[in-house]
Amino acid sequence: MSTGANAVPGQTSTQTTIANVVVGSSITLTGLVPSFTLAGNPGETVSTTAPPVTFTVTTNNNEGYTVTVAPETPTLNPTTPGNTDTIPIGDLRVREAGTTAFTPLVFGTPVTVHTQATPSAEAGDTFTNDYQITIPFVTPDTYSAVLDYVATTL
């Protein structure tokens, strides 16, 4: 005579697991206007008008962030072949809109244009920078320099 094993209804066996979601610190800089133009004659001091130099920073970093701008060259260089004139990059000055003091750009030294000790809004924080230059006595031309914006978490 053999007896069969029968399952007993309602028996359970349980275990648990822990769900971990690791959220890293992130930062993005977007929407920087691709170029801007300052126009005038020698001796005139001119500032940016349209388009405004705007950008958006998005970060979840609790310590906040800083934004800097640095020129890639020590001069604004002419676009016309044969023109040997240049404009020192320090003649170009920047400020965060709404502040009063312009700061000259310096080749090799980033200029801080915004800093804050808190994260951005979820949709990002949008800022505007003003630029100003006193036009030097140089050959009529378009003088250009690449400016690198960098957003860094603190």
Side-chain angles (χ1 to χ4, degrees), residues 11 17 38-39 46 56 61 63 65 73 101-102 110 124:
Q11 288 185 322
T17 188
L38 301 169
V46 294
T56 301
N61 186 285
E63 303 298 318
Y65 61 96
T73 56
F102 279 94

Side-chain angles (χ1 to χ4, degrees), residues 9-26:
Q11 288 185 322
T12 61
S13 176
T14 63
Q15 285 190 320
T16 60
T17 188
I18 297 172
N20 295 296
V21 177
V22 178
V23 178
S25 176
S26 69

Side-chain angles (χ1 to χ4, degrees), residues 4-92:
N6 292 329
V8 177
Q11 288 185 322
T12 61
S13 176
T14 63
Q15 285 190 320
T16 60
T17 188
I18 297 172
N20 295 296
V21 177
V22 178
V23 178
S25 176
S26 69
I27 190 165
T28 58
L29 187 147
T30 58
L32 182 63
V33 65
S35 67
F36 64 93
T37 301
L38 301 169
N41 295 316
E44 294 178 342
T45 298
V46 294
S47 299
T48 47
T49 53
V53 179
T54 59
F55 57 92
T56 301
V57 176
T58 308
T59 183
N60 63 341
N61 186 285
N62 282 337
E63 303 298 318
Y65 61 96
T66 187
V67 180
T68 60
V69 60
E72 289 188 1
T73 56
T75 57
L76 291 117
N77 298 310
T79 56
T80 302
N83 180 1
T84 58
D85 287 346
T86 61
I87 299 173
I89 200 66
D91 287 0
L92 185 60

